[in-house]
Every structure is written in C-alpha cells, then in structure tokens.
mmCIF file of all heavy atoms in Angstrom:
data_model
loop_
_atom_site.group_PDB
_atom_site.id
_atom_site.type_symbol
_atom_site.label_atom_id
_atom_site.label_comp_id
_atom_site.label_asym_id
_atom_site.label_seq_id
_atom_site.Cartn_x
_atom_site.Cartn_y
_atom_site.Cartn_z
ATOM 1 N N GLY Y 1 0.815 -1.205 0.001
ATOM 2 C CA GLY Y 1 0.003 -0.003 0.004
ATOM 3 C C GLY Y 1 0.846 1.250 0.001
ATOM 4 O O GLY Y 1 1.980 1.245 0.488
ATOM 5 N N GLY Y 2 0.301 2.323 -0.603
ATOM 6 C CA GLY Y 2 1.035 3.579 -0.621
ATOM 7 C C GLY Y 2 0.406 4.597 -1.550
ATOM 8 O O GLY Y 2 -0.787 4.527 -1.859
ATOM 9 N N LEU Y 3 1.214 5.525 -2.016
ATOM 10 C CA LEU Y 3 0.759 6.668 -2.812
ATOM 11 C C LEU Y 3 1.180 6.493 -4.265
ATOM 12 O O LEU Y 3 2.196 5.846 -4.568
ATOM 13 C CB LEU Y 3 1.356 7.962 -2.270
ATOM 14 C CG LEU Y 3 1.095 8.266 -0.809
ATOM 15 C CD1 LEU Y 3 1.867 9.513 -0.386
ATOM 16 C CD2 LEU Y 3 -0.390 8.429 -0.525
ATOM 17 N N LEU Y 4 0.426 7.098 -5.168
ATOM 18 C CA LEU Y 4 0.782 7.040 -6.579
ATOM 19 C C LEU Y 4 0.440 8.354 -7.278
ATOM 20 O O LEU Y 4 -0.408 9.127 -6.826
ATOM 21 C CB LEU Y 4 0.100 5.875 -7.300
ATOM 22 C CG LEU Y 4 -1.411 5.899 -7.533
ATOM 23 C CD1 LEU Y 4 -1.736 6.585 -8.855
ATOM 24 C CD2 LEU Y 4 -1.978 4.495 -7.540
ATOM 25 N N LEU Y 5 1.127 8.589 -8.398
ATOM 26 C CA LEU Y 5 0.845 9.685 -9.312
ATOM 27 C C LEU Y 5 0.586 9.094 -10.680
ATOM 28 O O LEU Y 5 1.289 8.177 -11.118
ATOM 29 C CB LEU Y 5 2.018 10.658 -9.391
ATOM 30 C CG LEU Y 5 2.301 11.540 -8.174
ATOM 31 C CD1 LEU Y 5 3.579 12.336 -8.408
ATOM 32 C CD2 LEU Y 5 1.135 12.484 -7.904
ATOM 33 N N GLU Y 6 -0.413 9.606 -11.372
ATOM 34 C CA GLU Y 6 -0.747 9.153 -12.729
ATOM 35 C C GLU Y 6 -0.784 10.351 -13.674
ATOM 36 O O GLU Y 6 -1.310 11.407 -13.344
ATOM 37 C CB GLU Y 6 -2.098 8.448 -12.734
ATOM 38 C CG GLU Y 6 -2.510 7.944 -14.128
ATOM 39 C CD GLU Y 6 -3.942 7.433 -14.167
ATOM 40 O OE1 GLU Y 6 -4.864 8.262 -14.270
ATOM 41 O OE2 GLU Y 6 -4.130 6.216 -14.084
ATOM 42 N N TRP Y 7 -0.209 10.162 -14.871
ATOM 43 C CA TRP Y 7 -0.296 11.161 -15.918
ATOM 44 C C TRP Y 7 -1.293 10.651 -16.966
ATOM 45 O O TRP Y 7 -0.969 9.757 -17.748
ATOM 46 C CB TRP Y 7 1.073 11.366 -16.579
ATOM 47 C CG TRP Y 7 2.046 12.145 -15.749
ATOM 48 C CD1 TRP Y 7 2.319 13.474 -15.831
ATOM 49 C CD2 TRP Y 7 2.892 11.637 -14.715
ATOM 50 N NE1 TRP Y 7 3.284 13.830 -14.915
ATOM 51 C CE2 TRP Y 7 3.644 12.723 -14.213
ATOM 52 C CE3 TRP Y 7 3.095 10.367 -14.155
ATOM 53 C CZ2 TRP Y 7 4.586 12.564 -13.197
ATOM 54 C CZ3 TRP Y 7 4.008 10.224 -13.145
ATOM 55 C CH2 TRP Y 7 4.759 11.324 -12.673
ATOM 56 N N GLN Y 8 -2.479 11.211 -16.978
ATOM 57 C CA GLN Y 8 -3.534 10.780 -17.885
ATOM 58 C C GLN Y 8 -3.495 11.638 -19.146
ATOM 59 O O GLN Y 8 -3.728 12.843 -19.099
ATOM 60 C CB GLN Y 8 -4.904 10.886 -17.228
ATOM 61 C CG GLN Y 8 -6.087 10.619 -18.155
ATOM 62 C CD GLN Y 8 -6.082 9.196 -18.679
ATOM 63 O OE1 GLN Y 8 -6.235 8.254 -17.914
ATOM 64 N NE2 GLN Y 8 -5.932 9.022 -19.984
ATOM 65 N N SER Y 9 -3.169 11.022 -20.288
ATOM 66 C CA SER Y 9 -3.133 11.767 -21.541
ATOM 67 C C SER Y 9 -4.533 12.226 -21.922
ATOM 68 O O SER Y 9 -5.509 11.471 -21.783
ATOM 69 C CB SER Y 9 -2.545 10.881 -22.666
ATOM 70 O OG SER Y 9 -2.656 11.535 -23.910
ATOM 71 N N GLU Y 10 -4.627 13.442 -22.411
ATOM 72 C CA GLU Y 10 -5.919 13.978 -22.843
ATOM 73 C C GLU Y 10 -6.286 13.538 -24.258
ATOM 74 O O GLU Y 10 -7.419 13.705 -24.691
ATOM 75 C CB GLU Y 10 -5.898 15.511 -22.757
ATOM 76 C CG GLU Y 10 -5.698 16.031 -21.343
ATOM 77 C CD GLU Y 10 -5.621 17.559 -21.295
ATOM 78 O OE1 GLU Y 10 -5.689 18.173 -22.372
ATOM 79 O OE2 GLU Y 10 -5.511 18.113 -20.197
ATOM 80 N N LYS Y 11 -5.320 12.973 -24.993
ATOM 81 C CA LYS Y 11 -5.539 12.626 -26.398
ATOM 82 C C LYS Y 11 -5.859 11.152 -26.602
ATOM 83 O O LYS Y 11 -6.435 10.774 -27.615
ATOM 84 C CB LYS Y 11 -4.306 13.007 -27.214
ATOM 85 C CG LYS Y 11 -4.024 14.510 -27.207
ATOM 86 C CD LYS Y 11 -2.792 14.822 -28.049
ATOM 87 C CE LYS Y 11 -2.517 16.316 -28.065
ATOM 88 N NZ LYS Y 11 -1.313 16.654 -28.879
ATOM 89 N N ASN Y 12 -5.411 10.290 -25.688
ATOM 90 C CA ASN Y 12 -5.634 8.856 -25.846
ATOM 91 C C ASN Y 12 -5.654 8.185 -24.462
ATOM 92 O O ASN Y 12 -5.723 8.857 -23.449
ATOM 93 C CB ASN Y 12 -4.547 8.235 -26.745
ATOM 94 C CG ASN Y 12 -3.150 8.604 -26.285
ATOM 95 O OD1 ASN Y 12 -2.836 8.479 -25.102
ATOM 96 N ND2 ASN Y 12 -2.299 9.074 -27.190
ATOM 97 N N GLY Y 13 -5.549 6.878 -24.446
ATOM 98 C CA GLY Y 13 -5.629 6.162 -23.172
ATOM 99 C C GLY Y 13 -4.293 5.932 -22.495
ATOM 100 O O GLY Y 13 -4.225 5.173 -21.528
ATOM 101 N N PHE Y 14 -3.226 6.572 -22.972
ATOM 102 C CA PHE Y 14 -1.918 6.399 -22.372
ATOM 103 C C PHE Y 14 -1.895 7.061 -20.992
ATOM 104 O O PHE Y 14 -2.168 8.253 -20.869
ATOM 105 C CB PHE Y 14 -0.844 6.991 -23.279
ATOM 106 C CG PHE Y 14 0.557 6.655 -22.860
ATOM 107 C CD1 PHE Y 14 0.966 5.341 -22.737
ATOM 108 C CD2 PHE Y 14 1.465 7.665 -22.603
ATOM 109 C CE1 PHE Y 14 2.257 5.023 -22.350
ATOM 110 C CE2 PHE Y 14 2.776 7.358 -22.220
ATOM 111 C CZ PHE Y 14 3.172 6.027 -22.094
ATOM 112 N N ALA Y 15 -1.544 6.294 -19.945
ATOM 113 C CA ALA Y 15 -1.597 6.833 -18.577
ATOM 114 C C ALA Y 15 -0.510 6.198 -17.713
ATOM 115 O O ALA Y 15 -0.778 5.346 -16.873
ATOM 116 C CB ALA Y 15 -2.968 6.584 -17.963
ATOM 117 N N PRO Y 16 0.752 6.591 -17.888
ATOM 118 C CA PRO Y 16 1.822 6.052 -17.032
ATOM 119 C C PRO Y 16 1.650 6.497 -15.603
ATOM 120 O O PRO Y 16 1.065 7.548 -15.329
ATOM 121 C CB PRO Y 16 3.097 6.649 -17.657
ATOM 122 C CG PRO Y 16 2.623 7.892 -18.358
ATOM 123 C CD PRO Y 16 1.245 7.597 -18.836
ATOM 124 N N ASP Y 17 2.143 5.681 -14.681
ATOM 125 C CA ASP Y 17 2.073 6.070 -13.270
ATOM 126 C C ASP Y 17 3.335 5.642 -12.523
ATOM 127 O O ASP Y 17 4.089 4.790 -12.995
ATOM 128 C CB ASP Y 17 0.806 5.546 -12.590
ATOM 129 C CG ASP Y 17 0.761 4.041 -12.460
ATOM 130 O OD1 ASP Y 17 1.824 3.403 -12.279
ATOM 131 O OD2 ASP Y 17 -0.334 3.453 -12.524
ATOM 132 N N ILE Y 18 3.540 6.248 -11.383
ATOM 133 C CA ILE Y 18 4.633 5.887 -10.475
ATOM 134 C C ILE Y 18 4.063 5.826 -9.071
ATOM 135 O O ILE Y 18 3.180 6.629 -8.713
ATOM 136 C CB ILE Y 18 5.788 6.915 -10.564
ATOM 137 C CG1 ILE Y 18 6.915 6.515 -9.585
ATOM 138 C CG2 ILE Y 18 5.310 8.335 -10.273
ATOM 139 C CD1 ILE Y 18 8.171 7.357 -9.748
ATOM 140 N N ALA Y 19 4.511 4.850 -8.292
ATOM 141 C CA ALA Y 19 4.001 4.682 -6.935
ATOM 142 C C ALA Y 19 5.153 4.468 -5.959
ATOM 143 O O ALA Y 19 6.231 3.999 -6.355
ATOM 144 C CB ALA Y 19 3.017 3.509 -6.862
ATOM 145 N N VAL Y 20 4.921 4.821 -4.708
ATOM 146 C CA VAL Y 20 5.853 4.511 -3.627
ATOM 147 C C VAL Y 20 5.054 3.722 -2.591
ATOM 148 O O VAL Y 20 4.092 4.247 -2.014
ATOM 149 C CB VAL Y 20 6.446 5.778 -2.996
ATOM 150 C CG1 VAL Y 20 7.371 5.410 -1.838
ATOM 151 C CG2 VAL Y 20 7.199 6.602 -4.040
ATOM 152 N N LEU Y 21 5.429 2.480 -2.380
ATOM 153 C CA LEU Y 21 4.638 1.542 -1.598
ATOM 154 C C LEU Y 21 5.449 0.913 -0.477
ATOM 155 O O LEU Y 21 6.661 0.681 -0.620
ATOM 156 C CB LEU Y 21 4.089 0.417 -2.497
ATOM 157 C CG LEU Y 21 3.438 0.802 -3.822
ATOM 158 C CD1 LEU Y 21 3.196 -0.444 -4.656
ATOM 159 C CD2 LEU Y 21 2.129 1.550 -3.564
ATOM 160 N N TYR Y 22 4.765 0.602 0.625
ATOM 161 C CA TYR Y 22 5.327 -0.332 1.596
ATOM 162 C C TYR Y 22 4.818 -1.721 1.192
ATOM 163 O O TYR Y 22 3.609 -1.918 1.034
ATOM 164 C CB TYR Y 22 4.861 -0.021 3.018
ATOM 165 C CG TYR Y 22 5.193 -1.147 3.973
ATOM 166 C CD1 TYR Y 22 6.494 -1.329 4.421
ATOM 167 C CD2 TYR Y 22 4.214 -2.038 4.380
ATOM 168 C CE1 TYR Y 22 6.804 -2.391 5.269
ATOM 169 C CE2 TYR Y 22 4.502 -3.091 5.224
ATOM 170 C CZ TYR Y 22 5.817 -3.258 5.664
ATOM 171 O OH TYR Y 22 6.124 -4.317 6.498
ATOM 172 N N THR Y 23 5.747 -2.646 1.005
ATOM 173 C CA THR Y 23 5.372 -3.995 0.559
ATOM 174 C C THR Y 23 5.871 -5.035 1.552
ATOM 175 O O THR Y 23 7.059 -5.044 1.910
ATOM 176 C CB THR Y 23 5.954 -4.283 -0.840
ATOM 177 O OG1 THR Y 23 5.365 -3.398 -1.788
ATOM 178 C CG2 THR Y 23 5.670 -5.721 -1.271
ATOM 179 N N ARG Y 24 4.976 -5.896 1.964
ATOM 180 C CA ARG Y 24 5.320 -7.049 2.801
ATOM 181 C C ARG Y 24 5.409 -8.259 1.894
ATOM 182 O O ARG Y 24 4.404 -8.830 1.471
ATOM 183 C CB ARG Y 24 4.247 -7.256 3.869
ATOM 184 C CG ARG Y 24 4.447 -8.505 4.730
ATOM 185 C CD ARG Y 24 5.532 -8.328 5.749
ATOM 186 N NE ARG Y 24 5.490 -9.384 6.754
ATOM 187 C CZ ARG Y 24 6.308 -9.463 7.789
ATOM 188 N NH1 ARG Y 24 7.220 -8.526 7.973
ATOM 189 N NH2 ARG Y 24 6.222 -10.447 8.654
ATOM 190 N N TYR Y 25 6.647 -8.605 1.524
ATOM 191 C CA TYR Y 25 6.896 -9.743 0.635
ATOM 192 C C TYR Y 25 7.216 -10.940 1.513
ATOM 193 O O TYR Y 25 8.304 -11.081 2.044
ATOM 194 C CB TYR Y 25 8.062 -9.408 -0.317
ATOM 195 C CG TYR Y 25 8.321 -10.453 -1.362
ATOM 196 C CD1 TYR Y 25 7.604 -10.469 -2.549
ATOM 197 C CD2 TYR Y 25 9.304 -11.409 -1.181
ATOM 198 C CE1 TYR Y 25 7.849 -11.432 -3.519
ATOM 199 C CE2 TYR Y 25 9.565 -12.369 -2.129
ATOM 200 C CZ TYR Y 25 8.842 -12.388 -3.304
ATOM 201 O OH TYR Y 25 9.085 -13.334 -4.271
ATOM 202 N N ASN Y 26 6.243 -11.823 1.667
ATOM 203 C CA ASN Y 26 6.273 -12.815 2.736
ATOM 204 C C ASN Y 26 6.823 -14.162 2.258
ATOM 205 O O ASN Y 26 6.067 -15.047 1.848
ATOM 206 C CB ASN Y 26 4.868 -12.989 3.301
ATOM 207 C CG ASN Y 26 4.881 -13.547 4.714
ATOM 208 O OD1 ASN Y 26 5.936 -13.831 5.265
ATOM 209 N ND2 ASN Y 26 3.708 -13.705 5.289
ATOM 210 N N THR Y 27 8.153 -14.291 2.313
ATOM 211 C CA THR Y 27 8.774 -15.574 1.997
ATOM 212 C C THR Y 27 9.891 -15.849 3.001
ATOM 213 O O THR Y 27 10.537 -14.907 3.499
ATOM 214 C CB THR Y 27 9.318 -15.602 0.552
ATOM 215 O OG1 THR Y 27 9.781 -16.908 0.233
ATOM 216 C CG2 THR Y 27 10.447 -14.598 0.379
ATOM 217 N N GLN Y 28 10.113 -17.132 3.314
ATOM 218 C CA GLN Y 28 11.137 -17.515 4.275
ATOM 219 C C GLN Y 28 11.899 -18.723 3.756
ATOM 220 O O GLN Y 28 11.396 -19.494 2.934
ATOM 221 C CB GLN Y 28 10.500 -17.861 5.627
ATOM 222 C CG GLN Y 28 9.855 -16.681 6.338
ATOM 223 C CD GLN Y 28 9.191 -17.110 7.640
ATOM 224 O OE1 GLN Y 28 8.262 -17.926 7.643
ATOM 225 N NE2 GLN Y 28 9.646 -16.564 8.755
ATOM 226 N N LEU Y 29 13.125 -18.867 4.247
ATOM 227 C CA LEU Y 29 13.972 -20.007 3.890
ATOM 228 C C LEU Y 29 13.712 -21.150 4.873
ATOM 229 O O LEU Y 29 13.673 -20.940 6.079
ATOM 230 C CB LEU Y 29 15.449 -19.588 3.943
ATOM 231 C CG LEU Y 29 16.467 -20.608 3.440
ATOM 232 C CD1 LEU Y 29 16.337 -20.786 1.933
ATOM 233 C CD2 LEU Y 29 17.886 -20.178 3.808
ATOM 234 N N ARG Y 30 13.553 -22.379 4.335
ATOM 235 C CA ARG Y 30 13.271 -23.540 5.174
ATOM 236 C C ARG Y 30 14.343 -24.596 4.945
ATOM 237 O O ARG Y 30 14.639 -24.942 3.785
ATOM 238 C CB ARG Y 30 11.879 -24.090 4.844
ATOM 239 C CG ARG Y 30 11.481 -25.321 5.640
ATOM 240 C CD ARG Y 30 9.998 -25.600 5.481
ATOM 241 N NE ARG Y 30 9.583 -25.620 4.082
ATOM 242 C CZ ARG Y 30 8.307 -25.550 3.691
ATOM 243 N NH1 ARG Y 30 7.342 -25.441 4.592
ATOM 244 N NH2 ARG Y 30 7.995 -25.578 2.416
ATOM 245 N N ASN Y 31 14.933 -25.127 6.022
ATOM 246 C CA ASN Y 31 15.965 -26.156 5.874
ATOM 247 C C ASN Y 31 15.335 -27.555 5.870
ATOM 248 O O ASN Y 31 14.096 -27.702 5.949
ATOM 249 C CB ASN Y 31 17.045 -26.032 6.955
ATOM 250 C CG ASN Y 31 16.502 -26.291 8.354
ATOM 251 O OD1 ASN Y 31 15.415 -26.878 8.533
ATOM 252 N ND2 ASN Y 31 17.233 -25.856 9.371
ATOM 253 N N ALA Y 32 16.181 -28.562 5.800
ATOM 254 C CA ALA Y 32 15.689 -29.937 5.682
ATOM 255 C C ALA Y 32 14.914 -30.379 6.918
ATOM 256 O O ALA Y 32 14.088 -31.296 6.847
ATOM 257 C CB ALA Y 32 16.875 -30.879 5.435
ATOM 258 N N ASP Y 33 15.171 -29.746 8.071
ATOM 259 C CA ASP Y 33 14.456 -30.084 9.315
ATOM 260 C C ASP Y 33 13.149 -29.320 9.467
ATOM 261 O O ASP Y 33 12.471 -29.482 10.483
ATOM 262 C CB ASP Y 33 15.358 -29.795 10.516
ATOM 263 C CG ASP Y 33 16.604 -30.676 10.524
ATOM 264 O OD1 ASP Y 33 16.515 -31.843 10.092
ATOM 265 O OD2 ASP Y 33 17.683 -30.179 10.917
#
C-alpha cells in the first residue's frame, strides 16, 4: 500500500504512473528439518 501519481493523456488512453509503496513480501527459507 502507498501513494501514486498518474499522468492521464488527454488525447488517448496512455496513462503512465509511479507509486511509492510499503510492501510485505512474505517468503522464508526452510531447511531440511
């Protein structure tokens, strides 16, 4: 979750955006035990 900015073109559907997010990427390393 976080904030974003979008540039919406007035001539067509082109709308690039940039965001700054806090991301919880939930993965862990597991050994043989």
